[in-house]
Amino acid sequence: MRALTFFTTSARSVRRLISLTSTRIPTTLPSLGFVSIRTATMSTDTAGADSTAVASIASRPAHQQLVVHEGIRYTTIKEGLAYILVPEESRADKKKAADRKKAADKKKPADKKPPADGQAVQQVFYNPIQQFNRDLTVLAIKAFGRERVELKEAANRARFEKFSDKKRKRKAGKNEEQLEEGDRPTKSPKHSADATAGSAGVEQGEGIPQTEPDHPNIAAPVPEAGAAGGAGEAAVTGDSVMEDIGTAEAAATNGSGEAPPAPPAPRDITEAKKEEKKAVPFTILDALSASGLRALRYAQEIPFVTSVTSNDLLQSAVKSIKLNVQHNKLEDKIVVSHDDALAHMYTLIAKECRRDKSARSEKYDVVDLDPYGSAAPFLDAAVQAVRDDGGLLCVTCTDSGVWASNGYPEKCFALYGGTSSNSFYSHELGLRVVLHAIEASAAKYGLAIEPLLSLSIDFYLRLFVRIKKSPAAVKFQAAKNMLVHLCDHGCGAFTTQPLLVNREAPNKNGSGTFYKHTYAKTTGSQSCDHCGSTTHVAGPVYGGYIQSPQFIKRVLAELRASSTDVYGTTERMRGMLQTALEEVLPAISETQEADGESKPAPSQEAEMAAIDPYPFYFHPSRVAGILHCASPPERKLKGALRGLGYRVTRSHCKPGSVKTDAPWSVIWHVMREWVRQEAPVTEANIKPGCAGYRLLGLDKPGRTEADDKGPKVVFDQSLGRDTATAKLVRYQQNPREHWGPLGKAKGK
């Protein structure tokens, strides 16, 4: 019975006792069938314990893993291929939160809803709602980086070939001089008697010319010499790097007369190119890193990244970043920096000012600004810290109450150098306000910007902008900024006023053209041309294209090649990117064909001078509300505009938006026809003096339908149907209550 009691203590004891007694009591083993059952049960229990066991910081990361480090319990959360450690709330923190809730309940009315989950004060900021932002940024940097790495490799090959060509010419010149003087073209190495007698390799190497190869990455034959002094003479044969490597190997022999190891096989060009590809640097700065999640994802999911700098001002955030880096085993790729973001970037800029021109630049290929609030204070430093040969600047601004409304025009101007409006198209106007701020910061340093992807997402905006050093392109920037005259209290119509005009003119020889940068004529007036209401001015804002179709297509290609297990917001990204791609309406002259042939590609100056001729959008329900009539279905309205020969699409900023190249005069003509044909209004319900009263011509007694001159309008629903058949998630719905930017992180 003692033995049986001992069996039940542990599976290991069972196995040990069976191994010891198997030779002594073999007949009793069949009667102990419960042992295997108990062992299996305990194995199951052990596995279950392992899955919920407490792990250390050095353990392999896993989702929902419990980690204890320095007495603090963490829960591991996985996003993409990265894992972050979120500290569990201590008893003291829970008590403080409960006390705050009690105090708030006393001050607030009883029917006031309590804060939602996740609204508690965070020691390190983490918002799962912004996973879409992070997923999109990873894919955008992938698309940008692949092209950039290819350009770097091409530049390296060009320099390499140029250097090789110069070296071959220099070598050929030396050989010609030696032949003219009657000298031997190369000098044979001296060998000692011991080396000659003991080395068969020397006999095998006789007659092999000791000349340098044409390609410096292909090793020259290394002379096999064992005597002292052989290495020094071998070095006389040339100045190539590979001969220096061979010389060092020859000098490493012990001089005992034994043949040295066979020389390494010459490297081929393919192997050399592989090494060059690995050496191409691609660096990213996550200037405001918080938990370090972005930096972790960049290092894990972008294969060609060589270094990611994760910076934050808070000591608690830096501690969290270091723990996450250690837990993800990314110490070789991520550099953790505890510094003010401005100080970090300006320190780098100061180094660049003192850098020798032959030294490699330490500027980043990508600078990512993702602050809580406005990124405006960091823009000046960021445009200088990113590489000026086409680096990528990623910007997030969550203060939509400033750049997408008229609530704080003075603050909007202080931060971004322009003002916005509360019109229906305020979110695109806000995108252009922030782009103007980036452009103004860059232009001071001779840097030009190229917006690649500009998105208004939920409660924030996200911009991807290419930065290039080009004083010539900066001259075109003034004409790519504009004021906007808004009928924001009337019919909602708008007109744009560029600050300058880039005018193309023939040169003196008549062989080409050049661009003049001249003043623009006034386009706005104090009252609206359509309804007579007072207009207001917003801006200046960026007036160029805010989307790059080529770049968006590359991001979509990256998305198609990605796994939905890694990117949890795949469907939404696909819908928003496709919508952003479709919203681009180029000028008619850019799409026309000349004499049945494709229009030639525009010149570089024409690309620098290009502006967006059709900014902003409207909503059918808004314009119908001005006329006090029923809103036209989207397909019928689109069909009417397309029937008149205009292009119609949508904007990614707002559901139900209509973006078209039709002027406002045509839009109001179509809406009057809608009232006449489909949705008559009761004139008595329309207040005299309002915008709709004037738009319908009710302020002109005796006006008839014949007085409204314009083309015939047909509300063709089939013509308004979009050709795309794929179902896309173009606009996100709020996934839960109290959904938004969450509270700001608190830490030291």
Side-chain angles (χ1 to χ4, degrees):
M1 291 299 295
R2 290 181 181 177
L4 293 177
T5 304
F6 181 73
F7 280 178
T8 61
T9 57
S10 68
R12 181 180 297 178
S13 301
V14 169
R15 289 192 295 269
R16 182 181 300 173
L17 189 58
I18 290 176
S19 63
L20 292 175
T21 59
S22 59
T23 57
R24 298 172 58 185
I25 48 173
T27 57
T28 61
L29 287 178
S31 63
L32 300 179
F34 72 93
V35 174
S36 60
I37 298 175
R38 176 64 179 168
T39 303
T41 305
M42 295 190 68
S43 299
T44 306
D45 295 341
T46 304
D50 290 342
S51 62
T52 58
V54 176
S56 68
I57 196 71
S59 302
R60 183 177 180 180
H63 185 53
Q64 296 298 326
Q65 182 184 47
L66 179 62
V67 176
V68 176
H69 181 69
E70 296 181 353
I72 302 176
R73 296 167 63 90
Y74 299 88
T75 301
T76 304
I77 296 178
K78 181 183 180 183
E79 183 179 297
L81 296 179
Y83 299 85
I84 64 167
L85 298 170
V86 178
E88 293 185 354
E89 200 172 9
S90 64
R91 292 183 179 179
D93 293 336
K94 290 180 180 179
K95 186 178 182 303
K96 289 180 181 179
D99 293 341
R100 284 195 302 268
K101 186 176 182 302
K102 288 180 181 178
D105 291 341
K106 291 180 181 180
K107 295 180 181 179
K108 295 179 180 179
D111 57 346
K112 189 77 174 181
K113 292 183 179 180
D117 295 337
Q119 296 290 337
V121 175
Q122 302 182 71
Q123 294 299 317
V124 176
F125 185 78
Y126 169 67
N127 188 0
I129 299 300
Q130 282 197 318
Q131 182 180 355
F132 174 79
N133 186 337
R134 292 184 284 268
D135 286 353
L136 178 66
T137 303
V138 172
L139 290 176
I141 295 177
K142 271 187 180 181
F144 166 82
R146 291 191 195 280
E147 181 187 27
R148 184 162 179 81
V149 168
E150 290 174 1
L151 292 175
K152 283 187 176 184
E153 291 175 348
N156 288 347
R157 285 194 297 269
R159 285 194 296 268
F160 186 75
E161 292 171 0
K162 183 178 180 180
F163 173 78
S164 301
D165 187 55
K166 286 184 177 179
K167 199 165 188 180
R168 282 194 296 269
K169 290 180 179 179
R170 186 168 61 248
K171 181 65 178 178
K174 287 182 180 180
N175 290 339
E176 290 178 0
E177 291 177 2
Q178 290 176 350
L179 291 174
E180 289 177 359
E181 295 175 2
D183 296 336
R184 295 168 61 185
T186 56
K187 190 172 182 179
S188 301
K190 295 181 180 180
H191 304 287
S192 64
D194 294 339
T196 306
S199 176
V202 175
E203 295 178 0
Q204 295 175 359
E206 289 180 354
I208 299 177
Q210 301 298 317
T211 58
E212 186 176 317
D214 290 339
H215 201 291
N217 267 6
I218 300 179
V222 180
E224 300 176 355
E233 304 221 5
V236 182
T237 59
D239 59 351
S240 73
V241 176
M242 297 312 302
E243 288 187 19
D244 291 341
I245 295 174
T247 301
E249 291 178 351
T253 56
N254 56 12
S256 61
E258 297 178 359
R267 294 184 302 168
D268 58 9
I269 300 176
T270 305
E271 184 181 355
K273 287 184 178 180
K274 287 182 180 179
E275 292 186 3
E276 288 177 10
K277 187 173 182 180
K278 292 179 182 178
V280 173
F282 189 87
T283 58
I284 301 176
L285 169 64
D286 184 11
L288 305 154
S289 204
S291 63
L293 178 55
R294 287 178 181 270
L296 295 170
R297 294 196 60 180
Y298 298 158
Q300 289 278 35
E301 299 172 29
I302 304 177
F304 46 81
V305 166
T306 56
S307 175
V308 180
T309 300
S310 181
N311 178 79
D312 204 277
L313 178 62
L314 298 179
Q315 178 63 44
S316 57
V318 173
K319 181 180 178 181
S320 176
I321 295 169
K322 289 180 178 179
L323 285 176
N324 289 326
V325 170
Q326 184 181 355
H327 194 47
N328 286 265
K329 315 297 185 293
L330 290 172
E331 295 92 335
D332 58 332
K333 272 194 175 183
I334 297 180
V335 178
V336 182
S337 170
H338 181 203
D339 202 353
D340 183 274
L342 289 175
H344 179 85
M345 290 187 282
Y346 279 126
T347 301
L348 174 63
I349 295 165
K351 288 182 180 179
E352 286 294 309
C353 293
R354 304 186 186 102
R355 177 177 62 90
D356 185 82
K357 299 302 180 183
S358 60
R360 175 176 291 177
S361 173
E362 296 183 16
K363 288 186 176 183
Y364 296 98
D365 292 279
V366 179
V367 172
D368 189 358
L369 300 177
D370 185 54
Y372 187 93
S374 174
F378 309 100
L379 294 180
D380 190 87
V383 296
Q384 298 179 78
V386 70
R387 289 185 63 94
D388 58 10
D389 57 350
L392 181 66
L393 177 62
C394 310
V395 178
T396 299
C397 292
T398 63
D399 55 333
S400 57
V402 175
W403 46 259
S405 76
N406 62 353
Y408 308 95
E410 74 289 348
K411 187 172 184 179
C412 186
F413 183 83
L415 291 174
Y416 304 110
T419 58
S420 187
S421 170
N422 67 341
S423 55
F424 180 74
Y425 42 85
S426 61
H427 283 77
E428 181 178 335
L429 190 62
L431 289 173
R432 294 181 180 275
V433 167
V434 180
L435 284 171
H436 164 73
I438 299 174
E439 186 275 331
S441 297
K444 293 180 290 186
Y445 307 104
L447 302 170
I449 72 167
E450 179 190 356
L452 301 177
L453 181 61
S454 308
L455 298 176
S456 174
I457 309 166
D458 306 330
F459 52 87
Y460 62 93
L461 61 77
R462 186 63 168 164
L463 304 174
F464 300 89
V465 182
R466 179 181 281 135
I467 306 292
K468 275 190 177 181
K469 184 79 171 179
S470 177
V474 170
K475 296 179 180 179
F476 290 82
Q477 295 294 319
K480 300 179 81 167
N481 286 270
M482 62 185 182
L483 300 174
V484 184
H485 297 272
L486 310 163
C487 184
D488 47 352
H489 295 300
C491 66
F494 57 83
T495 57
T496 59
Q497 168 69 62
L499 300 183
L500 289 181
V501 174
N502 296 321
R503 197 182 308 279
E504 189 176 13
N507 57 24
K508 293 181 179 180
N509 300 330
S511 58
T513 60
F514 72 103
Y515 278 84
K516 291 182 178 181
H517 312 290
T518 61
Y519 288 97
K521 296 180 181 179
T522 302
T523 59
S525 61
Q526 293 185 355
S527 59
C528 177
D529 296 336
H530 310 287
C531 69
S533 301
T534 302
T535 59
H536 298 89
V537 179
V541 300
Y542 186 76
Y545 289 104
I546 63 175
Q547 315 289 4
S548 170
Q550 294 79 13
F551 180 76
I552 296 176
K553 289 177 182 177
R554 290 201 300 270
V555 179
L556 283 169
E558 290 287 345
L559 181 60
R560 286 191 291 270
S562 303
S563 171
T564 55
D565 296 334
V566 178
Y567 302 99
T569 60
T570 298
E571 293 304 319
R572 189 186 177 194
M573 282 193 292
R574 182 179 293 110
M576 180 164 279
L577 288 170
Q578 186 63 36
T579 306
L581 179 63
E582 294 172 359
E583 78 177 17
V584 179
L585 289 176
I588 297 296
S589 58
E590 298 177 22
T591 59
Q592 284 179 339
E593 296 183 353
D595 299 330
E597 297 181 359
S598 298
K599 190 178 181 66
S603 63
Q604 185 176 2
E605 288 187 333
E607 290 181 350
M608 290 188 291
I611 62 172
D612 189 349
Y614 313 112
F616 310 127
Y617 48 88
F618 70 94
H619 197 282
S621 64
R622 288 290 185 96
V623 294
I626 300 296
L627 300 181
H628 300 271
C629 68
S631 178
E634 184 178 330
R635 289 184 179 179
K636 285 192 174 184
L637 181 60
K638 287 183 176 181
L641 291 172
R642 287 171 179 166
L644 295 175
Y646 296 100
R647 294 172 293 170
V648 185
T649 182
R650 59 170 61 86
S651 171
H652 77 277
C653 295
K654 290 284 186 71
S657 57
V658 175
K659 192 178 179 72
T660 179
D661 56 354
W664 273 101
S665 58
V666 173
I667 294 173
W668 286 123
H669 172 66
V670 170
M671 289 304 300
R672 282 191 290 267
E673 287 296 307
W674 168 254
V675 171
R676 185 179 66 84
Q677 298 180 29
E678 303 280 351
V681 298
T682 303
E683 296 181 5
N685 295 335
I686 303 177
K687 185 178 179 180
C690 69
Y693 191 82
R694 292 189 290 267
L695 285 168
L696 291 173
L698 301 181
D699 58 333
K700 299 176 182 179
R703 180 182 176 87
T704 62
E705 296 178 1
D707 296 332
D708 189 9
K709 298 179 181 179
K712 182 180 179 181
V713 178
V714 178
F715 294 93
D716 189 348
Q717 191 166 352
S718 61
L719 189 60
R721 185 179 292 107
D722 294 326
T723 56
T725 57
K727 292 184 179 180
L728 299 173
V729 182
R730 296 182 182 271
Y731 305 100
Q732 173 70 25
Q733 299 296 321
N734 291 359
R736 62 177 173 82
E737 194 179 13
H738 303 293
W739 178 78
L742 298 184
K744 188 175 182 179
K746 302 292 183 182
K748 298 179 180 179

